[in-house]
Amino acid sequence: MKWDVSSYNPYKSLTSGEMKILDVVEWIDGVGGEHVEIVPLGFQMDDNRERR
């Protein structure tokens, strides 16, 4: 069985600054997750305003 985790799950850690989105991806990998659903809530996908 494969399982995935949404980046929304650690929302409190993302908004508090305890984790960054790449920390979340590493955490999911570390617990055996094989897929990450990225929900851009609590972080910006692209902080470079010139690329928006």
Side-chain angles (χ1 to χ4, degrees):
M1 175 181 205
K2 294 181 180 182
W3 63 281
D4 69 273
V5 178
S6 172
S7 66
Y8 175 76
N9 291 80
Y11 175 73
K12 287 182 181 180
S13 295
L14 285 167
T15 57
S16 73
E18 179 183 343
M19 296 178 89
K20 297 200 180 290
I21 190 59
L22 293 179
D23 298 325
V24 172
V25 172
E26 289 178 6
W27 173 75
I28 292 169
D29 180 52
V31 296
E34 297 183 40
H35 178 263
V36 179
E37 174 193 37
I38 300 294
V39 178
L41 186 60
F43 67 96
Q44 294 272 331
M45 291 294 292
D46 185 359
D47 290 336
N48 185 340
R49 294 188 184 275
E50 293 176 8
R51 288 192 249 165
R52 291 184 191 175

